[in-house]
Amino acid sequence: MRKTLLSILAAFAISFSSIAQDIGLLYEISGNGLEKSSYLFGTIHIICEEDFELSEQVAQKVAESKSLVLEIDLDDPAMMQIVFANINNPEGEKITDFLDEEEFEATRDFLLENAAVDISMMKSMRPFMVLSMLYPKMLECETKAYEIELMQIAKENERTVEGLETIQDQLSVFEHIPLEEQYKNLYDYVSDFEKGRREFRKLIDTYKTKDVDRMVEIVGESPEYKNYQDVMLHNRNRNWIEPMKGFMQEGQMFFAVGAGHLGGELGLINLLRNEGYTVTVIEE
């Protein structure tokens, strides 16, 4: 269940201006009246097992914190029920309304071969849901997910898991992007899957450098979603600040979100600094 949700989250990462350079994935949030510091960690939602790295310091901070706060609460038992209830386009639009016969057949054949999915039987499925099925094939490796590993640490230490937004919030983001563009994006990936692999590899390689400002730039370089960075990234960052402030008033928290949300002028690091917090990298 959680891996399915993380594949959907990864669709955000592959589908989408820097100030002071921040190199690092783990940050301490202090000051501004906080009695205890909290921590902010940048993840990548799906990564090859050989590239996965989680330090003892990160594990320790999760274990010490009152709660692990993710983008969404992946521990919510109702999560998949909500996803399945929203798996199709809201107005019943079909893939064949946007792709011609040749494009549809190419997409269907590719999904049959690479995801064992017959799109002919689910023509109304949302395009980003279809795209999420291709991530295991895109990476061609055994995968791990930071969120799942962090949740395991939290559970072992009897810590709660919370979310900064709901799954409905995430699903609604795609309502701001015309379906025609989403299906074109899907077909583009099917038509040149090696390009998609290269883009994902580039994202992983940049993540390993811990350059969060460069992560934002890479997301912004995605031609299909460069006009939607506000709804995919910036607006969500702004919306998370108030919940983060509320959580931090309750005690030490460990926030773990996609690393693309950390850097840049409208990233969480700078937004928190603008609110008066001291945000300091503690693991380079």
Side-chain angles (χ1 to χ4, degrees):
M1 179 186 80
R2 291 165 184 159
K3 285 191 175 181
T4 301
L5 288 167
L6 288 165
S7 291
I8 295 169
L9 284 173
F12 282 78
I14 196 68
S15 301
F16 357 133
S17 55
S18 304
I19 48 174
Q21 189 81 356
D22 286 296
I23 304 294
L25 296 172
L26 180 61
Y27 293 79
E28 180 179 14
I29 308 169
S30 61
N32 203 22
L34 293 181
E35 293 185 5
K36 292 186 176 181
S37 294
S38 286
Y39 298 89
L40 175 62
F41 180 65
T43 72
I44 187 167
H45 298 308
I46 298 178
I47 192 169
C48 290
E49 190 170 17
E50 64 192 45
D51 294 312
F52 181 85
E53 182 180 344
L54 192 67
S55 72
E56 290 186 9
Q57 182 170 213
V58 169
Q60 179 183 354
K61 295 303 182 186
V62 174
E64 292 174 352
S65 296
K66 181 178 180 180
S67 297
L68 168 66
V69 186
L70 306 173
E71 294 182 24
I72 55 176
D73 179 2
L74 292 171
D75 203 35
D76 184 350
M79 189 78 66
M80 283 309 296
Q81 182 179 353
I82 296 170
V83 170
F84 286 129
N86 290 274
I87 200 168
N88 293 320
N89 294 315
E91 302 301 322
E93 301 94 334
K94 299 179 180 179
I95 187 171
T96 47
D97 295 333
F98 302 96
L99 301 184
D100 62 32
E101 184 176 352
E102 182 178 349
E103 292 170 333
F104 170 71
E105 289 180 356
T107 303
R108 179 198 61 202
D109 293 347
F110 187 88
L111 287 165
L112 275 171
E113 180 179 353
N114 293 280
V117 171
D118 186 357
I119 194 65
S120 300
M121 308 299 292
M122 352 179 218
K123 291 183 178 179
S124 294
M125 181 180 285
R126 290 184 171 196
F128 69 88
M129 294 278 194
V130 179
L131 181 62
S132 71
M133 298 177 183
L134 293 173
Y135 280 97
K137 188 69 175 181
M138 187 177 291
L139 288 175
E140 288 190 307
C141 62
E142 292 296 321
T143 62
K144 296 193 79 169
Y146 280 93
E147 286 80 0
I148 291 178
E149 299 301 318
L150 294 172
M151 286 176 61
Q152 182 63 33
I153 295 168
K155 285 184 171 296
E156 288 173 355
N157 290 274
E158 299 182 339
R159 307 307 184 195
T160 60
V161 178
E162 308 288 348
L164 290 170
E165 62 186 7
T166 66
I167 186 63
Q168 292 96 329
D169 292 331
Q170 291 203 343
L171 294 174
S172 69
V173 166
F174 288 95
E175 295 174 7
H176 297 278
I177 303 173
L179 274 175
E180 183 176 4
E181 292 188 35
Q182 294 187 53
Y183 278 113
K184 180 182 181 302
N185 175 38
L186 172 62
Y187 179 68
D188 286 345
Y189 273 106
V190 167
S191 301
D192 191 354
F193 200 58
E194 288 304 316
K195 178 184 177 183
R197 282 188 173 133
R198 291 193 300 271
E199 288 179 349
F200 208 106
R201 186 69 247 178
K202 182 179 180 181
L203 195 68
I204 290 173
D205 289 344
T206 303
Y207 178 78
K208 291 169 67 176
T209 71
K210 304 182 181 181
D211 186 343
V212 294
D213 287 331
R214 180 60 185 144
M215 289 285 289
V216 179
E217 292 172 0
I218 287 178
V219 172
E221 289 167 2
S222 176
E224 60 269 22
Y225 285 131
K226 66 181 181 181
N227 296 323
Y228 301 101
Q229 287 189 78
D230 279 346
V231 295
M232 298 291 288
L233 206 63
H234 302 152
N235 291 347
R236 295 170 68 212
N237 292 346
R238 295 187 189 98
N239 290 340
W240 291 349
I241 294 300
E242 287 303 316
M244 290 180 75
K245 290 165 65 175
F247 278 123
M248 289 189 290
Q249 289 299 319
E250 298 176 12
Q252 178 176 320
M253 297 289 162
F254 191 96
F255 301 98
V257 301
H261 290 280
L262 269 58
E265 184 178 357
L266 297 176
L268 291 177
I269 293 171
N270 194 48
L271 293 177
L272 287 166
R273 288 170 176 164
N274 289 343
E275 291 288 325
Y277 296 98
T278 299
V279 185
T280 308
V281 64
I282 62 172
E283 185 176 276
E284 297 183 358

